[in-house]
Short mmCIF file of all heavy atoms in Angstrom, two decimals:
data_model
loop_
_atom_site.label_atom_id
_atom_site.label_comp_id
_atom_site.label_asym_id
_atom_site.label_seq_id
_atom_site.Cartn_x
_atom_site.Cartn_y
_atom_site.Cartn_z
N SER A 24 -1.49 16.30 30.82
CA SER A 24 -2.80 16.93 30.64
C SER A 24 -3.43 16.56 29.29
O SER A 24 -4.65 16.41 29.21
CB SER A 24 -2.65 18.44 30.75
OG SER A 24 -1.75 18.89 29.78
N ALA A 43 -28.73 9.91 25.83
CA ALA A 43 -29.64 10.41 24.81
C ALA A 43 -30.03 9.39 23.75
O ALA A 43 -31.03 9.59 23.06
CB ALA A 43 -29.02 11.63 24.12
N ARG A 44 -29.25 8.31 23.56
CA ARG A 44 -29.58 7.41 22.46
C ARG A 44 -30.82 6.61 22.80
O ARG A 44 -31.12 6.34 23.96
CB ARG A 44 -28.43 6.45 22.17
CG ARG A 44 -27.25 7.07 21.45
CD ARG A 44 -27.60 7.71 20.15
NE ARG A 44 -27.97 6.77 19.12
CZ ARG A 44 -27.22 6.50 18.07
NH1 ARG A 44 -26.06 7.08 17.90
NH2 ARG A 44 -27.62 5.66 17.15
N LYS A 45 -31.53 6.22 21.74
CA LYS A 45 -32.77 5.50 21.93
C LYS A 45 -32.56 3.99 21.89
O LYS A 45 -33.13 3.24 22.68
CB LYS A 45 -33.73 5.90 20.81
CG LYS A 45 -35.17 5.58 21.11
CD LYS A 45 -36.04 6.20 20.03
CE LYS A 45 -37.48 5.90 20.30
NZ LYS A 45 -38.34 6.39 19.24
N ASN A 46 -31.71 3.56 20.96
CA ASN A 46 -31.49 2.13 20.77
C ASN A 46 -30.58 1.58 21.87
O ASN A 46 -29.56 2.15 22.21
CB ASN A 46 -30.83 1.93 19.41
CG ASN A 46 -30.79 0.49 19.02
OD1 ASN A 46 -30.29 -0.34 19.78
ND2 ASN A 46 -31.31 0.17 17.87
N GLU A 55 -19.24 1.63 26.33
CA GLU A 55 -17.88 1.22 25.96
C GLU A 55 -16.97 2.43 25.78
O GLU A 55 -15.80 2.42 26.15
CB GLU A 55 -17.89 0.42 24.66
CG GLU A 55 -18.54 -0.93 24.75
CD GLU A 55 -17.93 -1.77 25.84
OE1 GLU A 55 -16.71 -1.78 25.97
OE2 GLU A 55 -18.71 -2.39 26.57
N ARG A 70 1.69 5.60 33.43
CA ARG A 70 2.93 5.96 32.74
C ARG A 70 3.58 7.21 33.34
O ARG A 70 4.80 7.29 33.44
CB ARG A 70 2.60 6.20 31.26
CG ARG A 70 3.77 6.58 30.38
CD ARG A 70 4.69 5.41 30.21
NE ARG A 70 5.90 5.79 29.50
CZ ARG A 70 6.95 6.34 30.09
NH1 ARG A 70 6.94 6.59 31.39
NH2 ARG A 70 8.04 6.65 29.39
N TYR A 105 -35.62 -8.53 22.30
CA TYR A 105 -36.09 -8.33 20.93
C TYR A 105 -36.94 -9.51 20.47
O TYR A 105 -37.94 -9.33 19.78
CB TYR A 105 -34.89 -8.15 19.99
CG TYR A 105 -35.29 -7.90 18.58
CD1 TYR A 105 -35.74 -6.65 18.19
CD2 TYR A 105 -35.25 -8.91 17.63
CE1 TYR A 105 -36.14 -6.40 16.90
CE2 TYR A 105 -35.64 -8.68 16.34
CZ TYR A 105 -36.08 -7.42 15.97
OH TYR A 105 -36.48 -7.19 14.70
N ARG C 34 -24.89 9.12 14.74
CA ARG C 34 -25.39 8.46 13.53
C ARG C 34 -26.70 7.73 13.82
O ARG C 34 -26.85 7.13 14.89
CB ARG C 34 -24.39 7.42 13.02
CG ARG C 34 -23.16 7.92 12.32
CD ARG C 34 -23.45 8.81 11.19
NE ARG C 34 -23.48 10.19 11.64
CZ ARG C 34 -23.63 11.22 10.84
NH1 ARG C 34 -23.76 11.04 9.56
NH2 ARG C 34 -23.65 12.44 11.31
N LEU C 37 -27.06 2.26 12.70
CA LEU C 37 -26.32 1.66 13.81
C LEU C 37 -25.06 0.92 13.37
O LEU C 37 -24.09 0.85 14.12
CB LEU C 37 -27.22 0.70 14.58
CG LEU C 37 -28.08 1.39 15.62
CD1 LEU C 37 -28.95 0.38 16.32
CD2 LEU C 37 -27.18 2.06 16.64
N TYR C 71 -11.41 -5.75 22.08
CA TYR C 71 -12.44 -4.81 21.65
C TYR C 71 -12.81 -5.00 20.19
O TYR C 71 -13.97 -5.22 19.85
CB TYR C 71 -11.99 -3.38 21.92
CG TYR C 71 -12.38 -2.91 23.29
CD1 TYR C 71 -11.43 -2.75 24.29
CD2 TYR C 71 -13.69 -2.65 23.60
CE1 TYR C 71 -11.78 -2.34 25.55
CE2 TYR C 71 -14.05 -2.24 24.86
CZ TYR C 71 -13.10 -2.08 25.83
OH TYR C 71 -13.45 -1.67 27.07
N ARG C 87 -32.67 -6.29 14.04
CA ARG C 87 -32.96 -5.22 13.09
C ARG C 87 -34.46 -5.07 12.90
O ARG C 87 -35.24 -5.44 13.75
CB ARG C 87 -32.28 -5.47 11.77
CG ARG C 87 -32.89 -6.61 11.00
CD ARG C 87 -32.09 -6.85 9.79
NE ARG C 87 -32.05 -8.29 9.58
CZ ARG C 87 -31.78 -8.81 8.42
NH1 ARG C 87 -31.50 -8.05 7.41
NH2 ARG C 87 -31.80 -10.11 8.27
N THR C 96 -33.43 8.86 16.34
CA THR C 96 -32.32 8.19 17.00
C THR C 96 -32.27 8.51 18.48
O THR C 96 -31.83 7.72 19.27
CB THR C 96 -31.00 8.69 16.41
OG1 THR C 96 -31.23 9.00 15.06
CG2 THR C 96 -29.96 7.64 16.54
N ASN C 98 -33.78 9.83 22.22
CA ASN C 98 -35.00 9.76 22.98
C ASN C 98 -35.42 11.14 23.46
O ASN C 98 -34.78 12.16 23.14
CB ASN C 98 -34.89 8.75 24.12
CG ASN C 98 -33.84 9.15 25.13
OD1 ASN C 98 -33.47 10.30 25.21
ND2 ASN C 98 -33.35 8.18 25.87
N VAL C 125 -0.72 18.05 36.60
CA VAL C 125 -1.21 17.78 35.26
C VAL C 125 -0.19 18.13 34.18
O VAL C 125 -0.21 17.60 33.08
CB VAL C 125 -2.54 18.54 35.06
CG1 VAL C 125 -2.31 19.94 34.60
CG2 VAL C 125 -3.44 17.81 34.11
N PRO C 130 8.15 10.30 33.21
CA PRO C 130 9.49 9.89 33.65
C PRO C 130 9.97 8.72 32.82
O PRO C 130 9.17 8.04 32.17
CB PRO C 130 9.27 9.49 35.11
CG PRO C 130 7.84 9.11 35.19
CD PRO C 130 7.11 9.92 34.16
#
Side-chain angles (χ1 to χ4, degrees):
Chain A
S24 59
R44 285 303 290 251
K45 198 172 180 184
N46 190 307
E55 291 306 317
R70 180 70 187 84
Y105 181 78
Chain C
R34 285 305 91 176
L37 276 179
Y71 271 108
R87 71 185 142 159
T96 329
N98 63 21
V125 86

